Amino acid sequence: MGSIDAALKPRLRLRTRAEYAGWIFSILAGIGILTSVLTNPNFKWHVVGKYFFAESILRGLMLTIFLTVASMALGTLLGLALAVMRSSHVKPVSMAAGLYITLFRGTPVLVQLIFWFNISALYPDLRIGIPFTDIGMAVDTNAIMGPITAALVGLTLNEAAYMAEIIRGGFSSVGKGQIEAADSLGMSAGTRMRKVIIPQAMPSIIPATGNQVIGMFKGTSLVSVLGVAELLQSAQLIYARTYETIPLLIVASLWYLVMTLLLSYPQSKLEQKYSRATSRLPRKAKPVVLTDPEGAAR
């Protein structure tokens, strides 16, 4: 019988006393914390249960989901355009994309949201028309830049800067030989991008994008400063009336936790699918029998 490949043998690890002690300490600490949280009357869990499925909370949750989906979709499209511009050999185009990315990544998203909400202080009217002519129309900025619009614009523009760097990192993971092969076949820049670069960059882009989706869902809580009735603002409106601050904050936190867990599952599946570090070793290796020239087994 042939010998078993050492790489296929299960790895055994001996547990130490320190590890057992760590498990015991962690379990006891967890039980103590859980007991304290569940038995402390100041948490008011009955209030948490009362407002967990409240209509205003659910409306705020739906608005949070809308802002997340819309901002990620628009931010990804704009980020793709910025990544292509950033990778361009035309210096003015590359520098313009780099300046955009630096500006929006280098300033807090909360500041950006407040800036777009107050953009009418700089431009009271936006004129849409043909340049250098009198043909056009003026639009009142206050009329179009409401709280939800300002939140969507601010989150989208900020997310585009981060997605541009993620996509550009995916482009950099494509081997130079692949690009040279596409050039040798006479592909245009657009065809090369669609047929060669983007498909091979997806394994690097998709897992990182999943992290951005989760971060965006939690980051929408910042738009509460604009008066947008998303999940956190909905909870704030309730406890401003009932003075039950902690229970309502727990309600909002639980919904954020639930949605984050729901988003984490498809993210983990995508990471498994597109991971390049997956082991390719077979489950079983057939024994190899060496024979001499005359066919006798050694």
Side-chain angles (χ1 to χ4, degrees):
M1 295 181 63
S3 60
I4 300 176
D5 189 353
L8 301 177
K9 291 182 179 180
R11 302 304 175 99
L12 299 179
R13 185 176 61 85
L14 298 178
R15 298 184 183 274
T16 62
R17 294 181 179 179
E19 185 173 356
Y20 284 115
W23 273 107
I24 294 174
F25 176 78
S26 299
I27 292 173
L28 292 177
I31 293 175
I33 295 173
L34 184 61
T35 302
S36 174
V37 170
L38 294 179
T39 58
N40 189 341
N42 295 324
F43 280 94
K44 299 181 180 179
W45 290 107
H46 64 284
V47 178
V48 174
K50 175 182 177 182
Y51 289 105
F52 192 74
F53 292 104
E55 183 179 355
S56 59
I57 294 292
L58 295 180
R59 282 201 305 266
L61 178 63
M62 292 299 105
L63 182 55
T64 296
I65 295 175
F66 165 75
L67 289 174
T68 301
V69 174
S71 299
M72 281 302 306
L74 297 174
T76 301
L77 293 176
L78 182 56
L80 176 60
L82 289 169
V84 174
M85 294 171 60
R86 191 75 174 87
S87 303
S88 175
H89 297 291
V90 182
K91 283 296 182 181
V93 175
S94 177
M95 290 176 62
L99 179 62
Y100 177 97
I101 294 171
T102 301
L103 178 62
F104 281 90
R105 291 179 68 194
T107 55
V109 62
L110 181 59
V111 175
Q112 297 175 29
L113 290 171
I114 298 174
F115 174 83
W116 290 112
F117 185 64
N118 295 279
I119 191 65
S120 60
L122 296 176
Y123 299 98
D125 296 308
L126 293 177
R127 183 172 179 80
I128 302 175
I130 301 176
F132 308 110
T133 65
D134 295 331
I135 302 176
M137 59 178 296
V139 179
D140 186 7
T141 307
N142 281 319
I144 62 174
M145 195 59 72
I148 295 180
T149 305
L152 187 59
V153 170
L155 294 175
T156 297
L157 296 180
N158 181 265
E159 185 62 29
Y162 288 93
M163 286 304 302
E165 288 298 281
I166 292 175
I167 296 173
R168 189 172 68 89
F171 290 169
S172 301
S173 66
V174 180
K176 185 178 179 181
Q178 298 290 324
I179 300 175
E180 292 177 349
D183 292 336
S184 66
L185 293 175
M187 291 186 180
S188 63
T191 303
R192 181 182 63 193
M193 181 66 67
R194 295 193 310 271
K195 301 294 186 180
V196 178
I197 298 178
I198 292 181
Q200 296 188 57
M202 293 303 286
S204 300
I205 295 174
I206 289 183
T209 303
N211 290 329
Q212 288 297 115
V213 173
I214 294 175
M216 173 62 72
F217 181 80
K218 295 181 292 185
T220 54
S221 60
L222 295 174
V223 305
S224 61
V225 300
L226 307 182
V228 178
E230 44 76 57
L231 180 57
L232 179 60
Q233 178 70 5
S234 299
Q236 290 175 333
L237 292 175
I238 295 176
Y239 73 64
R241 184 178 70 254
T242 62
Y243 300 101
E244 295 171 329
T245 305
I246 298 299
L248 268 301
L249 290 178
I250 293 176
V251 169
S253 300
L254 288 177
W255 272 119
Y256 282 119
L257 180 60
V258 168
M259 295 304 300
T260 299
L261 292 175
L262 292 177
L263 292 172
S264 298
Y265 179 76
Q267 178 199 0
S268 63
K269 291 301 182 181
L270 287 173
E271 289 180 354
Q272 293 176 7
K273 180 178 180 180
Y274 288 99
S275 176
R276 292 183 172 181
T278 304
S279 174
R280 301 291 184 179
L281 291 175
R283 294 184 178 180
K284 293 183 179 180
K286 295 182 179 180
V288 178
V289 179
L290 301 179
T291 59
D292 59 16
E294 297 181 1
R298 293 181 181 178

